[in-house]
């Protein structure tokens, strides 16, 4: 069952630099258990096809997290069967989510 996020919640924004682009990844954190449950990815020209694709990917990823999929499951799925492995912007964003989750656990 989906865990709905409260209207007001903590957020963290990190920068992801690739060889050609810069992306801003904002993570919405559930204040009850300090788990990352939503993501917003920005970096492409507003209104471009890539911007729309990142919005869609962020929405799907957020819903997956709110329905209980783990970061490990998501990364495994993005990594499996790909020659380049999980090196996409989305896979990198999931890794950043994992890093932030570990940092939050250490401060709690």
């Amino acid at each position: 069952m989906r865990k709905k996020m409260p209207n007001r919640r903590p957020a963290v924004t990190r920068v992801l630099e690739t060889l050609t682009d810069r992306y801003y990844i904002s993570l919405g954190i559930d204040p009850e258990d300090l788990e990352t449950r939503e993501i917003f990815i920005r970096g492409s020209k507003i209104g471009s096809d890539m911007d729309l694709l990142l919005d869609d990917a962020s929405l799907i990823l957020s819903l997956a997290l709110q329905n209980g999929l783990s970061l490990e499951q998501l990364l495994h799925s993005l990594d499996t069967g790909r020659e380049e492995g999980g090196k996409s912007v989305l896979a990198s964003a999931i890794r950043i989510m994992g890093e932030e989750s570990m940092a939050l656990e250490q401060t709690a």
Side-chain angles (χ1 to χ4, degrees):
M1 174 169 265
R2 180 175 174 224
K3 181 168 183 170
K4 186 170 174 2
M5 296 286 288
N7 289 337
R8 294 193 176 266
R9 56 203 168 269
V12 175
T13 299
R14 298 257 312 260
V15 176
L16 170 64
E17 301 257 359
T18 67
L19 292 175
T20 57
D21 295 303
R22 176 182 291 157
Y23 298 93
Y24 298 89
I25 300 170
S26 295
L27 310 173
I29 300 164
D30 186 343
E32 288 181 19
D33 58 11
L34 299 179
E35 290 291 324
T36 303
R37 300 228 187 266
E38 67 182 352
I39 185 168
F40 303 94
I41 305 172
R42 290 280 174 255
S44 296
K45 183 178 176 185
I46 294 174
S48 69
D49 288 342
M50 180 58 99
D51 183 52
L52 297 173
L53 181 64
L54 289 173
D55 276 348
D56 288 351
S58 296
L59 175 70
I60 291 167
L61 179 54
S62 296
L63 287 172
L65 293 169
Q66 291 168 21
N67 280 287
L69 259 64
S70 71
L71 297 176
E72 293 79 21
Q73 288 172 307
L74 292 164
L75 266 179
H76 175 76
S77 295
L78 289 172
D79 212 17
T80 302
R82 294 175 127 180
E83 184 177 315
E84 72 281 0
K87 294 185 180 179
S88 67
V89 171
L90 194 58
S92 297
I94 293 170
R95 283 191 195 84
I96 288 172
M97 292 171 82
E99 293 168 8
E100 286 299 326
S101 290
M102 287 177 35
L104 285 170
E105 286 175 11
Q106 292 175 354
T107 60

